[in-house]
Amino acid sequence: MPSNISTDKSSADKPFADKLSDRQPSATSQLSSNLPENTPKSTTSNRHEHIAAILKRLPNLPGVYKMLGKQGEILYVGKAKSLKNRVSSYFVKTIEHPKTRALVQRIYDIEIIIVRGETEALLLEQNLIKAHRPPYNVILRDDKSYLYVFVSQDKFARLGFGRGKGNHVQGRFFGPYPSAHGAKQTLELMQRLFMLRNCTNAFFAARKRPCLEYQIKRCKAPCVGLVSHEEYLTDVENAIAFLNGDNEQVQKTLIAKMEAAAAELNFEQAVFYRDKITMISEMQARQAVYRLAGEADVFAISHQAGITSIHVLTVRGGQVLGGKNYFPDEICVGEQSNAERLAQFLLSFYFQVSDDLPEEIIVSEAVPDDAAIGELLAEQFGAKTHIKHRVQKHRNEWLTLAKLNADNALKSQLGDHQELHARFAALKSVLADVSERAIDRIECFDISHTMGEAAIGSCVVFDSGGVRKRDYRQYAIHDITGGDDYAAMRQVLLRRYKKQPLPDLLLIDGGKGQLGVAKAVLEELGILSDTLLVSVAKGEGRKAGLEVLHFIDHEPIDLPPDSKALHLIMQVRDEAHRFAITAHRKKRDKARGSSVLEVIPGLGAKRRRDLLNHFGGIGQLIGASEVEIASVKGIGKVLANTIYKALHE
């Protein structure tokens, strides 16, 4: 079999990362099934013969393979030192892992890309996973970026926090913070210490009077000129020094200011600086136990009964910023060690979650191919890191703490997993007479609106490991008659399954009508036979626990209230409802606030802007009294009465 890697001199002279980017999947670079060109791939009459023909022709070479579904969608991406041995292992009869069995049932074709070594295979695998997000890969269920505190580059710098490094703001970033609580706590402390603004640039530019932050002494109101640029810049420099861990320098600056204020008999200002110094001293006392030299991410793994728990402890500037537990998915084609699981997780973590590579990566297991992983991360981030297994002193304390958290998280997860496993087994038993399909992935849809207003469709995803929040989706409904749930459901399903593969079980919140709409959509797309379609309707009196399951070609099933299968259906359905109604309320409230103001006679764009700036937003305006509204410049008693009635009636 010919390799897809060019060996001409121009390619050989390219940097490593550039050469890998040349090998992204394309019509010329992929070595597919190796069958004649006129052989259809996903429409082959005998899927097993087609797969068998592919397996016979696989090379005993390193590379990356892609498992494809019936419509050509990518289900799974993997790497192998020997493509022939690795890919063939998926189709032996001894596979017991339910997720792997569910994957194999959906494979209609296989594509491979040959590479020259392990490092290239690692990089190409992660790039393909990141680009295509296959549903069956060993990836993270919740792959949100970590939070960072930032100081913007504006003339009057803004202090804030957000996910990802530099996604929306240019400036200095500090972190990462594994939890939102840690980032918010740091931001609140910074505001109390240095009184930097945290408002958006649009809000800052529109201010004509100080906001509430100034009143509670968390901002010096640079928006209205109550602080000079030089003084504000000094506060910014102190804030950056503080975030860099240079607390001693910040203390010296504050002590000098306190003494100068006292010498000028400005005792109120001196007390202000004294309180700031006290705040820093108290914080240093609390953090003393954690403040040790080093910058590292610490990974500890724990595994039992098919569940993997990995705790990631984040240390920056010698300070423990927090930790987070992960429960990665797993596709098993043979026994896997904790070290191998941890190596897979490291790549997923740094390619999908982290924007930051520390000086050291400390692991609880000696991961295989650590040199290749280190080289790969150096290429990805443009900085070197050291992967360490044997550590001493405070680094060993960090690792011990991470292990303790990983073990504790595993114990908690095992209880939840056992209950979830029992619910999936009960559902499979209930549906045995309806379909022989293995049920691993469930997708559920719900529509939420208020009398047809601001309709939102939601899709939530569950599998045998629990919720898959990274696969959740929300759909804004457009161009339908208000309140037409059938049209809304049709629009959402069309938009979803024109691009996405079907799950094993497609669950619709509703009765026979919604079921008929879903059936028509799948027939229109030609994929009705690729899933088990079920609608769940409220029973008598619409009471929870009396739900009825409706099918296309089977009699309805009325499950008893104590059925674990019913509990799983209700759990998925309720999560879809929660996800939809949360998004709907945000959309509705935003639309109501802006639209009501726009239709009030005599309230033009300038007055609307003045109102919102005065109160700080539509929520505060709705909570204001008629007298308070009338006090705004340009708003008299008559117009205030009209505005108040429009907002409340």
Side-chain angles (χ1 to χ4, degrees), residues 450-471:
T450 301
M451 301 295 290
E453 177 190 3
I456 287 285
S458 74
C459 171
V460 301
V461 182
F462 276 64
D463 64 14
S464 53
V467 299
R468 296 187 60 93
K469 289 192 175 181
R470 55 154 288 172
D471 291 341

Side-chain angles (χ1 to χ4, degrees), residues 5 102 197 208 224 228 275 359 379 404 444 452 497 515 613 636:
I5 300 174
R197 73 179 182 95
K208 295 180 181 178
V224 292
S228 68
D275 292 343
E359 298 168 356
E379 290 284 343
L404 181 65
C444 181
Y497 294 117
L515 181 69
N613 286 339

Side-chain angles (χ1 to χ4, degrees), residues 599-620:
V599 299
I600 295 175
L603 191 64
K606 183 178 183 303
R607 284 178 172 174
R608 289 200 303 270
R609 184 172 63 250
D610 289 344
L611 268 174
L612 295 174
N613 286 339
H614 179 89
F615 291 103
I618 188 67
Q620 292 86 339

Side-chain angles (χ1 to χ4, degrees), residues 300-459:
I301 185 171
S302 188
H303 178 85
Q304 185 181 338
I307 303 296
T308 300
S309 167
I310 297 177
H311 186 81
V312 184
L313 194 71
T314 304
V315 183
R316 294 295 183 273
Q319 180 181 346
V320 177
L321 299 182
K324 188 171 182 179
N325 294 311
Y326 293 91
F327 305 95
D329 288 343
E330 195 171 280
I331 293 290
C332 291
V333 284
E335 288 298 320
Q336 213 178 16
S337 67
N338 278 351
E340 291 171 326
R341 294 185 182 99
L342 191 54
Q344 289 178 327
F345 177 83
L346 281 177
L347 290 170
S348 295
F349 180 80
Y350 284 110
F351 271 78
Q352 299 178 41
V353 176
S354 181
D355 293 322
D356 197 59
L357 185 68
E359 298 168 356
E360 298 176 335
I361 296 174
I362 301 172
V363 292
S364 61
E365 305 282 342
V367 298
D369 306 315
D370 57 345
I373 293 173
E375 180 184 348
L376 187 58
L377 295 178
E379 290 284 343
Q380 175 75 5
F381 288 90
K384 287 187 177 180
T385 188
H386 302 282
I387 301 177
K388 298 181 178 180
H389 165 50
R390 299 184 182 278
V391 290
Q392 298 177 349
K393 298 182 180 178
H394 57 272
R395 287 175 175 78
N396 188 51
E397 292 177 12
W398 293 337
L399 186 57
T400 301
L401 182 61
K403 287 178 179 176
L404 181 65
N405 279 277
D407 291 340
N408 185 64
L410 179 64
K411 290 178 182 178
S412 299
Q413 188 74 1
L414 277 173
D416 294 339
H417 176 74
Q418 289 167 356
E419 174 62 21
L420 188 65
H421 183 75
R423 290 183 178 187
F424 264 89
L427 182 62
K428 182 179 178 181
S429 176
V430 165
L431 299 178
D433 294 336
V434 182
S435 172
E436 297 180 355
R437 178 182 295 274
I439 305 298
D440 177 68
R441 184 181 175 95
I442 303 173
E443 294 185 4
C444 181
F445 291 83
D446 187 28
I447 305 295
S448 181
H449 59 82
T450 301
M451 301 295 290
E453 177 190 3
I456 287 285
S458 74
C459 171

Side-chain angles (χ1 to χ4, degrees), residues 59-63 79-86 118 121 368-369:
N60 190 20
L61 294 170
K79 63 173 178 60
K81 293 180 179 178
S82 168
L83 287 166
K84 187 173 187 67
N85 294 342
R86 180 67 172 177
E118 184 72 7
D369 306 315

